[in-house]
Amino acid sequence: MIGAIRRAFTTPDLRNKLLFTLGIIVIFRLGSFIPSPGIDYTKVQECVASPQLNSGGFAMINLFSGGALLQLSIFALGIMPYITASIIVQLLRVVIPRFEALHKEGASGQAKLTQYTRYLTIGLAVLNSTTLVATVESGALFGNIQGCTDLIVNNEWWGLAILVLTLTAGTGLIMWLGEQITEHGVGNGMSILIFTSVASAFPSSLGAILSEQGIDVFLIVIAVGLVLVALVVFVEQSQRRIPVQYAKRMVGRRMFGGTSTYIPIKVNMAGVIPVIFASSVLYLPSLIAQFFDPQTGWVEWINTYFTRGDHPIYIAAYAVLVIFFSYFYVAITFNPEEVADNMKKYGGFIPGIRAGRPTADYLSFVLSRINFPGSLYLAFVALIPLIALVLINANQNFPFGGTSLLIIVGVGLETVKQIDAQMQQRHYEGLLR
């Protein structure tokens, strides 16, 4: 492994791509510590270090921003607006025929969809930054801790406008940095930045467990983490390969087809998206409740059952939502009828299954059977931080579990595969055996 890494850095072209990627990561992390204009940075640091801090529903956004949200830096919104915009554009393909037609056009259509995603990202960034500024001004960002309500120095309209503009520009810059990695670096730029944000929280989370729980619990957490990483790698690499054969056909004077291949159906086809959806849906009630009287009956009920992650009702609702969104997302992203039509168009068939509608029904049958254990696996991984919260009183950013573990393993595997592919092109052994 060490020798493969050394060979990667001794290859000029690949070394330049790796160094460029590392340079963008450094810039991204530096931006996470630059305070936004008009923010009392000293008071913000005191609030972040407060033992009474409970980020609650902001934990997910803070995770994807690499801790920049609670720091109120210029990159406070992180990559979350782009993730939301990408998911929205992908979902709109189901209801807007124009988007589906662009998706099928190839590179030109994908370029237009990417442009729409950029515009929507900026729009969502304006909305999110306005909401964040209002939340900071009301003191709800830090759970209404005493002394954390006057963090904005300039409360004039133009001061707030500059703050919103800065946060929006920060999101635009992050989006541009991610695209630069995709074009000139190694791996998918947005995924690399998300990976960086999540990985940056590991040292502080492990350090907090070590200082608060002791060396015994710390070693148990490390051992459990290694087992969970191995489990996630095993499941993420698992797939059902449906064999496909292509009949021979004449095109002009040349013979084509006659080959055998397969359709890979992963156990976890939805990735980390269902966990993000479920977390966002469960966060909405607590967000709405912040703007009403805490003594109101329904507000008190939400604060009791849906604000803290250690309540059985919250845990059960979280698991059910993860399973539901796993089925929902796979249903809108994998179309068995489209796959069957494409196979029939090019003379492909599954052995023992007739082409056309029977093939689509067979793919739907296989997909539903595989998605069941995949959704249970996602629910289990998503509940790991909540179980840790109950057992060892760890915070909700428990490193080995939920979105953090799925992102770390998923992006890590994909990036290593891309580096390995580039090394294979240069006749090197590569990172993988």
Side-chain angles (χ1 to χ4, degrees):
M1 184 69 176
I2 297 178
I5 295 176
R6 181 179 56 81
R7 288 194 298 272
F9 276 94
T10 54
T11 306
D13 184 34
L14 188 55
R15 180 180 65 244
N16 293 337
K17 290 184 177 181
L18 291 172
L19 292 178
F20 181 83
T21 303
L22 292 175
I24 295 295
I25 290 175
V26 171
I27 295 174
F28 174 66
R29 289 304 300 160
L30 286 176
S32 300
F33 296 97
I34 300 176
S36 300
I39 295 294
D40 190 340
Y41 189 69
T42 303
K43 188 178 292 187
V44 167
Q45 293 301 310
E46 295 175 356
C47 295
V48 171
S50 173
Q52 303 174 357
L53 175 62
N54 178 21
S55 57
F58 296 103
M60 175 66 67
I61 307 176
N62 192 52
L63 175 67
F64 281 103
S65 66
L69 175 70
L70 297 182
Q71 300 281 350
L72 294 178
S73 70
I74 60 175
F75 287 170
L77 298 181
I79 203 70
M80 203 64 179
Y82 183 85
I83 297 175
T84 307
S86 300
I87 294 173
I88 291 175
V89 171
Q90 195 168 14
L91 294 178
L92 288 178
R93 286 170 40 199
V94 182
V95 295
I96 300 180
R98 170 63 177 167
F99 279 31
E100 182 64 23
L102 288 174
H103 176 70
K104 295 180 179 179
E105 284 184 7
S108 60
Q110 292 291 342
K112 291 183 179 179
L113 288 178
T114 302
Q115 196 67 19
Y116 293 154
T117 304
R118 292 169 182 165
Y119 294 146
L120 185 58
T121 299
I122 299 301
L124 290 175
V126 173
L127 178 62
N128 291 350
S129 59
T130 304
T131 305
L132 178 59
V133 171
T135 305
V136 173
E137 196 169 11
S138 65
L141 179 65
F142 293 98
N144 294 313
I145 298 177
Q146 186 177 4
C148 297
T149 56
D150 298 322
L151 302 179
I152 301 178
V153 178
N154 186 357
N155 289 322
E156 298 292 335
W157 69 266
W158 55 270
L160 300 178
I162 292 177
L163 186 55
V164 170
L165 180 62
T166 301
L167 296 175
T168 304
T171 299
L173 180 57
I174 292 175
M175 182 171 59
W176 181 81
L177 292 175
E179 293 177 352
Q180 294 304 304
I181 292 179
T182 303
E183 185 176 353
H184 303 291
V186 176
N188 182 282
M190 299 302 173
S191 299
I192 294 293
L193 294 183
I194 296 173
F195 176 92
T196 304
S197 299
V198 174
S200 65
F202 269 60
S204 59
S205 298
L206 292 175
I209 294 175
L210 178 61
S211 60
E212 297 173 5
Q213 306 294 332
I215 187 65
D216 296 337
V217 175
F218 176 77
L219 293 177
I220 293 175
V221 169
I222 294 295
V224 171
L226 293 177
V227 174
L228 290 174
V229 169
L231 171 66
V232 172
V233 170
F234 175 77
V235 177
E236 293 295 326
Q237 297 287 77
S238 303
Q239 57 182 224
R240 166 74 182 275
R241 296 182 175 182
I242 300 178
V244 177
Q245 293 183 356
Y246 286 91
K248 294 182 179 180
R249 56 195 177 95
M250 292 291 296
V251 178
R253 300 178 61 181
R254 302 184 62 182
M255 180 75 72
F256 291 91
T259 59
S260 298
T261 182
Y262 59 86
I263 301 175
I265 298 182
K266 297 180 62 177
V267 174
N268 179 25
M269 291 194 64
V272 73
I273 299 300
V275 182
I276 298 176
F277 277 7
S279 302
S280 301
V281 170
L282 284 179
Y283 166 57
L284 287 177
S286 60
L287 176 64
I288 296 173
Q290 290 177 358
F291 298 98
F292 294 89
D293 185 7
Q295 303 300 324
T296 308
W298 66 273
V299 174
E300 186 176 355
W301 187 85
I302 288 177
N303 291 333
T304 303
Y305 297 108
F306 281 93
T307 300
R308 296 182 58 190
D310 57 351
H311 198 280
I313 294 181
Y314 182 95
I315 295 176
Y318 194 24
V320 170
L321 285 175
V322 170
I323 295 174
F324 168 76
F325 282 120
S326 178
Y327 276 91
F328 173 76
Y329 189 75
V330 171
I332 65 174
T333 55
F334 186 87
N335 189 349
E337 295 183 358
E338 181 181 353
V339 175
D341 291 340
N342 291 334
M343 290 171 54
K344 185 177 181 180
K345 184 187 303 182
Y346 294 102
F349 63 93
I350 299 174
I353 308 295
R354 294 182 60 184
R357 185 66 188 179
T359 298
D361 293 339
Y362 177 76
L363 291 175
S364 299
F365 173 80
V366 174
L367 187 64
S368 63
R369 296 303 184 273
I370 293 179
N371 198 28
F372 178 70
S375 61
L376 294 180
Y377 150 78
L378 269 183
F380 169 73
V381 175
L383 291 178
I384 291 174
L386 304 183
I387 297 173
L389 181 66
V390 175
L391 295 181
I392 64 174
N393 197 27
N395 57 35
Q396 293 188 6
N397 289 333
F398 183 73
F400 299 109
T403 53
S404 59
L405 185 59
L406 292 172
I407 290 172
I408 288 291
V409 174
V411 178
L413 288 175
E414 188 63 30
T415 305
V416 168
K417 287 181 180 178
Q418 292 196 26
I419 297 176
D420 184 71
Q422 295 198 28
M423 293 183 66
Q424 293 285 355
Q425 292 176 0
R426 295 167 176 80
H427 309 289
Y428 284 124
E429 188 175 352
L431 295 174
L432 304 177
R433 294 288 180 97

